[in-house]
Amino acid sequence: MLDQTAASAPANRRVFRSKVDSLRPTFGFEDVSLAPGTDTIEPSDVALGQTFCGIELGIPILASAMDAVVDARFAGALAGLGGLAILNLEGVQTRYDDPDAVLARIAAAPDDEVQDLLAEAYAAPVRDELVARRIEEIHAAGSKAAVAATPGAARRLGPFCAEHGADLFLVQSQVSSARHLASGYDPLSLAEFTRFMPIPVAVGNTTNSEAAFALMEQGAAAVFVGVGPGAACTTRDVLGIGVPQVTAVADVAAARDDFYEQSGRYVPVVADGGMRRGGELAKAIAAGADVLMLGSPLARAEEAPGRGTNWGMAAPSPTLPRGTRINVGTIGSLEKILFGPADVTDGTENLMGALRQSMAALGARDIRAMQQVEMVYAPAVAVEGKSWQRGSSR
């Protein structure tokens, strides 16, 4: 006969709650799709321009502050097409009179030697006279001067750059927070920094809505979103940190909208990294981004200084690199990448044409309207019905 005590044991067993029981679903570009609504418009009627931190943009594109992407020449080329490039103030452009020679060595180095070469190249000191010279060169190339530095260098470089004519200063770190705790030094006070800087101060990167709201409260002129999604970044592998980019952008955009309702000040959200194709650009804006920061897709341009390579901003670390040099190739001019005509069918060329077409098909006349389109969970949408493209015989 069955033991009644044993039979009732499963019903009476203790239930334990673990952290994984309450994991929040998060979404990347491959998980979602944009759903058409009732209206469509002509692509020529779509407006891509906006004012970003006091700077007029014809297209919602920023070039990432990566040494293989941005120099003065590239900044001028992108400005001529309506975008804005951001110069890395702690890169080779401000350490060497002739950065091209250093960039050529990095691009040509064998894979097993490049990490040591990066650490060596970035060991040279940042020179103030070169910082001032690069700002002057960017202006001479026809672009506004947007520059970026880590929080540790911002206190010194920020006022110096403003004094020498910079138009925008980006305080950029791996993970930005409104309150950084440190026992060995006095950390940068963002509220104080933004208050006394005579030019707009943007801040990044974050993936957290509460952190973003606090950064806005402390005076951030724009908030950059993304921890580890870039093609040359290895932060997610090295540190285990990151949030899929669609969710990260949507969370920070929600903070932006709430902050605007409370304060009346609109703080643009910049989706930084993880986008390669036109559809991903469209999804980032639909998730809530105002502007898109691209690195590796623009490193493929003839005007880019990296000679068909790119590497993460933390790649030169001599102790814990969180980036690697990747070979992206050179496929043509910057204009071709952004405006076509495209020679490929994978969406990596004519990015603005793809974005404009997507917005038109969704009835979105401008960026704000695109942020309101419907987004659906659709992890199979990219492969649905595409078996022949995947080499299937059926």
Side-chain angles (χ1 to χ4, degrees):
M1 184 174 179
L2 182 66
D3 185 348
Q4 294 298 318
T5 302
S8 62
N12 296 328
R13 69 182 182 184
R14 290 190 179 94
V15 177
F16 299 97
R17 300 291 296 175
S18 75
K19 182 175 287 188
V20 298
D21 292 331
S22 57
L23 287 180
R24 178 168 72 110
T26 57
F27 306 102
F29 294 118
E30 68 281 1
D31 299 316
V32 301
S33 185
L34 306 181
T38 59
D39 299 334
T40 59
I41 63 175
E42 282 296 311
S44 59
D45 291 332
V46 171
L48 297 179
Q50 62 187 284
T51 300
F52 175 74
C53 298
I55 298 173
E56 293 299 324
L57 297 180
I59 57 175
I61 298 298
L62 305 181
S64 182
M66 306 171 92
D67 280 353
V69 180
V70 176
D71 61 6
R73 173 173 172 258
F74 185 93
L78 182 57
L81 297 172
L84 178 69
I86 301 182
L87 182 75
N88 177 16
L89 289 175
E90 296 171 81
V92 297
Q93 295 291 328
T94 59
R95 298 175 192 266
Y96 297 95
D97 291 294
D98 181 17
D100 282 344
V102 179
L103 292 166
R105 289 178 58 208
I106 295 172
D111 289 342
D112 60 352
E113 297 178 13
V114 70
Q115 212 60 49
D116 289 339
L117 179 57
L118 283 168
E120 175 190 337
Y122 286 76
V126 172
R127 294 157 50 190
D128 287 354
E129 74 273 16
L130 288 180
V131 172
R133 185 190 305 175
R134 302 307 177 216
I135 292 173
E136 181 180 350
E137 290 172 349
I138 291 172
H139 281 149
S143 174
K144 296 291 187 180
V147 295
T150 58
R155 182 183 279 113
R156 181 180 68 84
L157 289 175
F160 181 85
C161 289
E163 180 183 347
H164 286 81
D167 300 285
L168 171 65
F169 193 90
L170 169 60
V171 181
Q172 193 167 35
S173 59
Q174 187 169 260
V175 177
S176 294
S177 63
R179 187 169 63 107
H180 179 65
L181 305 179
S183 58
Y185 64 96
D186 182 24
L188 177 72
S189 168
L190 180 61
E192 180 180 330
F193 187 73
T194 58
R195 187 181 309 118
F196 290 104
M197 280 284 286
I199 60 175
V201 176
V203 183
N205 283 26
T206 188
T207 60
N208 181 277
S209 54
E210 291 186 15
F213 192 92
L215 293 172
M216 296 172 193
E217 286 184 311
Q218 294 188 358
V223 174
F224 286 62
V225 181
V227 175
C233 182
T234 60
T235 294
R236 292 179 177 180
D237 292 330
V238 177
L239 303 183
I241 297 173
V243 174
Q245 195 71 322
V246 168
T247 292
V249 169
D251 285 352
V252 174
R256 173 204 59 208
D257 293 343
D258 194 56
F259 182 77
Y260 177 66
E261 289 183 6
Q262 294 188 32
S263 69
R265 186 170 73 91
Y266 189 87
V267 181
V269 170
V270 181
D272 179 9
M275 297 158 288
R276 182 184 173 194
R277 298 176 172 85
E280 292 159 351
L281 273 64
K283 292 176 185 180
I285 293 177
D290 298 281
V291 181
L292 313 170
M293 176 175 263
L294 304 179
S296 294
L298 303 186
R300 306 175 80 197
E302 294 168 347
E303 296 90 337
R307 296 164 173 80
T309 65
N310 193 25
W311 54 91
M313 286 173 281
S317 170
T319 57
L320 190 64
R322 278 95 65 207
T324 184
R325 186 197 62 180
I326 59 174
N327 294 310
V328 297
T330 300
I331 62 171
S333 69
L334 181 60
E335 183 173 9
K336 176 183 174 66
I337 292 171
L338 291 176
F339 293 100
D343 295 327
V344 295
T345 61
D346 62 0
T348 58
E349 297 176 4
N350 195 4
L351 296 175
M352 293 301 95
L355 175 60
R356 188 181 294 275
Q357 185 70 42
S358 177
M359 292 174 64
L362 296 167
R365 290 185 177 273
D366 55 26
I367 299 296
R368 289 295 285 164
M370 186 64 168
Q371 293 168 346
Q372 309 307 314
V373 304
E374 183 184 8
M375 180 178 285
V376 297
Y377 174 59
V381 73
V383 296
E384 184 179 35
K386 304 298 189 295
S387 59
W388 284 357
Q389 291 184 25
R390 303 195 304 274
S392 172
S393 60
R394 295 187 178 184

